[in-house]
C-alpha cells in the first residue's frame, strides 16, 4: 500500500481487555530493603499498575501522539515480502531542510522523537532546519513484524533506507542510538556516500581497535593514557555488563520463551521496561503517566510486545555486532554521561570517520527524550554553518540561503 | 513449630483464580518454522494452557502427591529467623537405614525425588536401604521463604543440615544436583563431620589448574579427549552460548522477572517447560506431568518469584566458591548422565572432591532422579552399599536391610 495517513486509535475492546487483565494482577513479594538491587521495586510497580487500571487516560496520551504527523506505507524487504511500516514524517517549512532519519531501539519507540521534532524542524537563520522521519522498527509501534527468521541489521537498514527513498529523500542523514546505532551504522556501510551523507549517534560503541584492521588507531590505543572520564566510562560499561545485561542474554537466545510473559502480563511487561527507563536514564524525572504511555505503546503495539525482542536474537545470529568497519561517511558522536556503554573515543574512531564529537555531563541512554536540547544542539553544531558536516546533503543545507 | 504432618491442599479460590487468569491469556505470535530455536514453540504452550484451563485435574494430582509422607517444621536460620520448612520424610522399615538428604534445584522441587523413594527405602536383596529426607528449599514448594537479603549457599546448607539434626540424624549422606550440588558442597565445607559422604550428578567447577591439581592437570594435558569428552565440551559450550539467558537474568534482576512469573501462568509455564524439555534426555513428558510440575511453582507457598532469588543471592555472596585452603575429604561420588547441562571431561571430577565413585551412563539428563530413577538409585546403592567406597560412613547405620 502506498502512503496512508495514520491516526492511532486503539480499539475500546483493547482498553477493556487491558483493564480486565490489570484487575486480576498478582504481585510477587519483595525482600526487605531490596531497593533497586533486585530489579524494579514492588511499590513502584504496584503504584503504576494501580494508575494504569484507574486514572491513566490512554485516550489523552493517544491524542498527544496524534499531534505528530503519522503515516503508513508498504516497504518491500528482500526475502521478507512486504511490511507495512508506521512512521512520523514532519517536514520543515523550509524546502531545503536536511532530510534526517531517526532510528530508535529497544525498549524505545517512535515517540522518542517527539521532543526533538519541533526543535529540529524549526526554521531560523541561526541554525539548520531538518525534515524528520522517525519510523517504528518492524515489530514495534504500529509497524508490521517480520514473519520469517533472519530479519537482522541488514533488513532493518533496508527498511529505513527504502522508506527515505520512497519519501523522495535520495540523499539524507541519520541519527540513532541503541539498535538505532547498529542499524544506522549498517545503513551507512551499505548506502553511505551515494545516499547517506553523514550519520550521528548518541551511543558510540566499538570494541578495542585491532592491529590488523586499523594499525594506527591500535598504536594510539596502546600509548594514550586513559582520561579519568574514560576510566569512569569503562567502569560503567563493566557494571552494565555484570549486572544489567541479563535481559540481553535472554532476548538474544530465547525471545519466544520470554515473549509468552511479555504478551500475557501487562504487569510483567511494565516491570521489564520500567526497569530500563529507570536504570538507563540520568535521573530523568519520569511521571507515572509518561511511563504508562511508554509501556502502553508496547502493550498495544500492532505486533505485540514479544515481536520486539526478536531483534536481539536475529542480530546475534547474523553476527551484526562484529561487522563494523571504517567508512569515510562523516560521523558525529555525542557522549552522554550515563550512557550504558562508554568506550574510549579512539575505539569508536577506528570504525567511524569522526568529524564531530561532544561530551555532556548529563543525559543517559534515551538522550532525545531526556535532554533533547543537548542532542539537538549537537546536531545543529555538526550540520550548521561552520560545522564539519555543513552542506553535506547537496542543495539541502538547512538554511534559506542554500 | 515442631513437626506437623502436612498435606497439600490448595484452596478452591486459588484454583478459580488460576482458571480466571488462564481464560484471559493472550499469546504472542511466532515466526514461521521457528521450531525450538527461539524458545518454546507456540503450539506446545497453547496446548498446555488449554489443558491447564480445562481437563487437567489438579485435585487428582494433589491426592497423588499426598500419598507421600510430608511434614513441616520450623527451622531457625542465623539472621533470617524461623522458616517453616516443608519436606518429605520417607523412612525405611530397617532400623539402620542410612539417613539420606536429597537436595533439589531450579526448576526442580521436592517431587523430582518421588520415583527414587521406593527404590531407596525398600529392601531389595543385598541393596542398602535409606531413610530419605527431601526438603522444599526455602522459596520452593510449600516452604516459607526468607524476608531478608543474603540467603545464600551457606543458609540453604544451614537449613538443610538443621532439618536433618532435628529429625535425629546427626550423621547422614547427601545426594544433589543443580543447586543441590552447590548446597551439598557447602554442607561439606560447613558440616563435614555430619554429612559423611556426598553424591552428585552435577560436578561443577573449573578446569584442573597446575597450581591446585597438578597431577590431574598433567593427566588432562597428556591424555587425548575421548569422543564423549569432546561431545561433552561442545554440549557445555552450546549451553553457555545459547541456553544460559535465564541464569543471567535470574542472577541480576530476579525481581523484575518475578513480576511476570507471578502474574502470568502461561509465562511461568513457558519459562519452566523450556527447561523440562531442553534439559532432559528425550523424557516423554505427558501434559499432565508438566502441568503438575508447573502447578507446584504456581501454587507454591512463597510464589514463583521467590524461587529465582537463589541465583542472585548465591552469585552475590560468592559462597559457592570453596573456602580457601579447604580440602573436601569425605567420600565423593559422581554419576555422569549424557544430557546434563555441563558435560566436562570425567577426569575433571577429581578436582571437585575426594572422588571415590564414578558411574557413567548413556542415557538421562539434568533431572536424572525423575528421568532415570533406577539408574540413579542403583548408583546410590553401589556407592553406599556393602563393598562400596562409602559403605558404613554413618556410624551404626550401614543400610543393611536384614536388621
Amino acid at each position: 500500500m502506498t502512503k496512508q495517513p495514520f491516526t492511532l486509535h486503539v480499539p475500546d475492546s483493547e482498553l477493556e481487555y487491558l483493564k480486565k487483565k490489570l484487575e486480576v494482577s498478582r504481585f510477587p513479594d519483595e525482600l526487605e530493603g531490596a531497593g533497586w538491587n533486585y530489579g524494579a521495586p514492588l511499590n513502584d510497580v504496584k503504584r503504576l499498575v494501580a494508575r494504569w487500571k484507574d486514572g491513566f487516560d490512554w485516550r489523552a496520551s493517544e491524542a498527544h501522539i496524534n499531534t505528530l504527523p503519522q503515516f503508513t506505507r508498504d516497504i518491500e524487504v528482500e526475502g521478507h515480502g512486504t511490511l507495512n511500516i508506521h512512521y512520523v514524517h514532519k517536514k520543515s517549512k523550509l524546502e531545503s531542510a536536511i532530510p534526517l532519519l531517526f532510528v530508535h531501539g529497544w525498549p524505545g519507540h517512535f515517540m522518542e522523537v517527539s521532543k526533538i521534532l519541533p526543535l529540529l524542524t524549526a526554521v531560523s537563520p541561526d541554525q539548520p532546519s531538518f525534515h524528520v522521519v522517525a519510523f517504528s522498527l518492524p515489530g514495534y509501534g504500529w509497524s508490521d513484524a517480520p514473519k520469517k527468521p533472519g530479519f537482522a541489521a541488514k533488513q532493518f537498514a533496508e527498511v529505513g533506507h527504502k522508506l527515505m527513498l520512497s519519501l523522495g529523500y535520495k540523499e539524507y542523514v541519520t541519527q540513532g542510538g541503541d539498535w538505532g546505532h547498529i542499524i544506522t551504522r549498517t545503513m551507512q556501510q551499505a548506502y553511505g556516500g551515494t545516499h547517506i551523507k553523514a550519520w550521528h549517534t548518541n551511543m558510540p560503541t566499538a570494541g578495542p581497535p585491532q592491529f590488523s584492521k586499523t594499525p594506527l588507531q591500535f598504536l594510539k590505543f596502546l600509548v594514550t593514557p586513559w582520561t579519568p572520564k574514560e576510566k569512569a566510562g569503562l567502569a560503567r560499561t563493566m557494571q552494565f555488563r555484570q549486572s544489567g545485561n541479563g535481559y540481553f542474554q535472554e532476548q538474544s537466545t530465547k525471545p519466544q520463551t520470554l515473549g509468552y510473559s511479555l504478551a500475557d502480563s501487562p504487569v510483567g511487561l511494565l516491570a521489564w521496561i520500567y526497569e530500563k527507563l529507570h536504570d538507563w536514564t540520568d535521573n530523568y524525572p519520569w511521571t507515572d503517566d509518561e511511563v504508562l504511555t511508554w509501556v502502553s505503546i508496547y502493550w498495544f503495539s500492532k505486533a505485540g510486545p514479544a515481536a520486539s525482542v526478536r531483534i536481539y536474537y536475529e542480530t546475534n545470529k547474523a553476527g551484526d555486532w562484529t561487522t563494523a568497519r571504517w567508512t569515510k561517511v562523516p560521523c558525529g558522536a555525542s557522549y552522554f554521561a550515563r550512557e550504558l556503554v562508554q568506550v574510549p573515543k579512539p575505539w569508536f574512531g577506528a570504525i567511524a570517520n569522526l568529524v564531530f564529537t561532544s561530551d555532556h555531563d548529563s543525559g543517559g541512554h534515551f538522550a532525545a527524550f531526556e535532554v533533547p536540547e543537548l542532542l539537538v544542539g549537537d546536531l545543529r553544531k555538526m550540520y550548521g554553518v561552520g560545522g564539519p558536516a555543513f552542506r553535506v546533503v547537496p542543495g539541502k543545507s538547512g538554511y534559506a540561503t542554500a | 513449630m515442631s513437626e506437623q504432618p502436612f498435606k497439600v491442599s490448595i484452596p478452591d479460590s486459588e484454583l478459580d483464580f488460576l482458571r480466571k487468569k488462564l481464560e484471559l491469556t493472550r499469546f504472542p505470535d511466532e515466526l514461521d518454522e521457528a521450531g525450538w530455536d527461539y524458545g518454546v514453540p507456540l503450539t506446545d504452550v497453547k496446548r498446555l494452557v488449554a489443558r491447564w484451563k480445562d481437563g487437567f485435574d489438579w485435585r487428582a494430582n494433589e491426592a497423588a502427591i499426598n500419598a507421600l509422607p510430608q511434614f513441616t517444621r520450623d527451622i531457625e536460620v542465623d539472621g533470617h529467623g524461623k522458616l517453616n520448612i516443608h519436606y518429605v520424610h520417607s523412612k525405611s522399615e530397617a532400623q539402620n537405614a542410612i539417613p539420606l538428604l536429597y537436595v533439589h534445584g531450579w526448576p526442580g522441587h521436592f517431587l523430582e525425588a518421588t520415583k527414587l523413594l521406593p527404590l531407596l527405602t525398600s529392601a531389595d536383596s543385598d541393596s542398602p536401604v535409606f531413610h530419605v529426607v527431601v526438603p522444599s528449599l526455602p522459596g520452593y514448594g510449600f516452604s516459607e521463604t526468607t524476608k531478608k537479603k543474603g540467603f545464600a549457599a551457606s543458609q540453604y546448607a544451614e537449613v538443610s543440615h538443621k532439618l536433618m539434626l532435628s529429625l535425629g540424624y546427626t550423621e547422614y549422606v547427601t545426594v544433589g544436583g543443580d543447586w543441590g550440588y552447590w548446597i551439598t558442597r557447602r554442607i561439606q565445607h560447613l558440616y563435614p563431620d555430619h554429612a559423611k559422604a556426598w553424591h552428585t550428578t552435577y560436578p561443577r567447577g573449573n578446569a584442573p589448574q597446575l597450581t591446585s591439581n597438578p597431577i590431574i592437570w598433567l593427566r588432562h594435558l597428556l591424555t587425548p579427549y575421548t569422543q564423549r569428552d569432546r561431545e561433552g565440551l561442545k554440549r557445555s559450550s552450546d549451553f553457555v552460548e545459547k541456553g544460559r539467558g535465564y541464569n543471567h537474568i535470574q542472577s541480576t534482576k530476579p525481581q523484575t522477572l518475578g513480576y511476570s512469573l507471578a502474574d502470568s501462568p502461561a509465562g511461568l509455564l513457558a519459562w519452566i517447560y523450556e527447561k523440562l524439555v531442553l534439559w532432559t534426555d528425550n523424557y516423554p513428558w505427558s501434559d499432565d506431568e508438566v502441568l503438575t510440575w508447573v502447578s507446584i511453582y504456581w501454587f507454591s507457598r512463597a510464589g514463583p518469584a521467590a524461587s529465582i532469588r537463589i541465583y542472585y543471592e548465591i552469585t552475590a555472596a560468592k559462597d559457592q566458591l570453596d573456602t580457601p585452603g579447604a580440602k573436601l575429604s569425605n567420600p565423593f561420588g559422581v554419576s555422569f548422565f549424557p544430557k546434563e547441562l555441563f558435560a566436562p571431561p570425567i577426569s575433571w571430577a577429581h578436582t571437585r572432591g575426594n572422588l571415590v565413585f564414578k558411574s557413567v551412563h548413556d542415557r538421562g539428563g539434568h533431572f536424572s532422579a525423575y528421568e532415570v530413577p533406577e539408574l540413579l538409585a542403583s548408583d546410590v546403592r553401589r556407592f553406599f552399599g556393602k563393598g562400596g567406597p562409602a559403605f558404613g560412613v554413618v556410624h551404626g547405620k550401614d543400610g543393611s536391610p536384614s536388621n
Side-chain angles (χ1 to χ4, degrees), chain A residues 161-213:
Chain A
H161 177 59
K162 284 180 168 172
L163 176 61
M164 291 305 268
L165 293 185
S166 75
L167 293 173
Y169 300 132
K170 287 209 190 56
E171 295 170 322
Y172 59 94
V173 302
T174 65
Q175 202 293 319
D178 196 87
W179 286 114
H181 167 81
I182 299 289
I183 293 165
T184 55
R185 176 181 52 73
T186 305
M187 285 178 77
Q188 56 87 31
Q189 281 172 225
Y191 315 112
T194 324
H195 297 284
I196 297 174
K197 299 301 195 185
W199 62 300
H200 176 278
T201 183
N202 51 295
M203 193 185 84
T205 182
Q210 292 174 18
F211 181 72
S212 52
K213 292 197 179 155

Side-chain angles (χ1 to χ4, degrees), chain B residues 220-282:
Chain B
H220 167 61
L221 210 56
L222 298 174
T223 318
Y225 286 139
T226 64
Q227 169 77 351
R228 190 207 156 90
D229 284 348
R230 274 196 297 277
E231 280 169 13
L233 279 170
K234 168 116 197 359
R235 185 174 166 76
S236 305
S237 77
D238 280 351
F239 172 66
V240 168
E241 224 180 84
K242 302 184 193 148
R244 259 185 130 220
Y246 78 98
N247 189 308
H248 284 276
I249 188 73
Q250 291 175 186
S251 301
T252 54
K253 308 284 182 200
Q255 188 70 12
T256 296
L257 175 64
Y259 294 102
S260 289
L261 301 182
D263 187 53
S264 170
L268 175 70
L269 170 76
W271 198 256
I272 291 177
Y273 175 65
E274 185 204 280
K275 304 317 182 193
L276 298 185
V277 173
L278 294 185
W279 292 5
T280 55
D281 186 8
N282 292 305

